[in-house]
Every structure is written in structure tokens, then in C-alpha cells.
Amino acid sequence: MTADDSFGRLDDDDYPAYTMGRAAEMLGTTQGFLRAIGDAHLITPLRSAGGHRRYSRYQLRIAARARELVDQGTSVEAACRIVILEDQLEEAQRVNAEYRRATGSVGPADATAAA
């Protein structure tokens, strides 16, 4: 991959553009926190050729949500589980909405409004 290819991917939400140090700085947390949420399988950073962790913007948003929960007193493990469940729920709702649009069916909220 050339430098031009890398530069063009910076707008890609999944491109691992941030080092662990930079990610921790952006989130206002420690590198240990990033390791802990990695150990809890919330995010899996990509590794550079030299073995260094690299994070994407999407992963940083997930980490920021976990940090919010931890700052409110939730344990790291519980915060990671909550974020995973929130992400799964959001995906299921997106899939259901696509299905309703594709089939022209009425969802529960739409049925109430139509009554």
C-alpha cells in the first residue's frame, strides 16, 4: 500500500489510523484501559507490521461508550458487555427496518400510528 492509498482511506471509519498512545490521548484514558477492553473482547485492534496496536474511528467510538459507563461506576467487564449488547440491538433494529421496507410490512410502532 502506498502513502497515497493510506491517505485516501483516512475517511474510512474502519481504517486503523490511530496508535494506542494517540487513541488513549483522544479518549482521555490510559493505554491500560484500552488493553482491558481488548482483553474483554470489546474491540480487537489491528496490529501494525511491527506488532503495535492500531485503532479505527469506529473502535474509538465503542471505547468512548465503554469509558462513559466505567466513569459512571460500571466495571470494565460489565461495561463491555453492555456496549456489545447495545451494538447487537442497534444492528437487529437496522435489519428489521430494512426487512419492513423491503416487504412493505408494518412494524409495531407503525401499526399504532395507523390505528
Side-chain angles (χ1 to χ4, degrees):
M1 180 180 292
T2 66
D4 288 338
D5 293 337
S6 294
F7 185 73
R9 296 194 62 198
L10 290 178
D11 62 345
D12 181 351
D13 231 17
D14 295 317
Y15 182 68
Y18 303 98
T19 64
M20 177 180 270
R22 179 69 178 128
E25 180 183 315
M26 291 170 67
L27 295 171
T29 191
T30 64
Q31 293 180 17
F33 175 78
L34 291 173
R35 284 187 205 94
I37 63 174
D39 291 346
H41 305 290
L42 178 61
I43 58 175
T44 304
L46 280 106
R47 298 283 183 150
S48 69
H52 300 283
R53 291 173 178 90
R54 305 285 294 194
Y55 297 89
S56 68
R57 286 193 313 237
Y58 172 75
Q59 289 173 322
L60 294 183
R61 282 196 304 274
I62 296 292
R65 175 64 180 132
R67 177 159 187 249
E68 284 177 24
L69 292 167
V70 169
D71 287 349
Q72 294 170 4
T74 307
S75 72
V76 171
E77 296 79 16
C80 290
R81 185 68 182 139
I82 290 167
V83 173
I84 289 167
L85 291 170
E86 288 175 343
D87 197 46
Q88 289 173 345
L89 176 60
E90 183 179 319
E91 176 65 10
Q93 289 172 333
R94 185 191 62 76
V95 168
N96 286 341
E98 284 178 13
Y99 175 76
R100 283 193 300 273
R101 278 192 298 276
T103 62
S105 65
V106 177
D110 297 330
T112 304

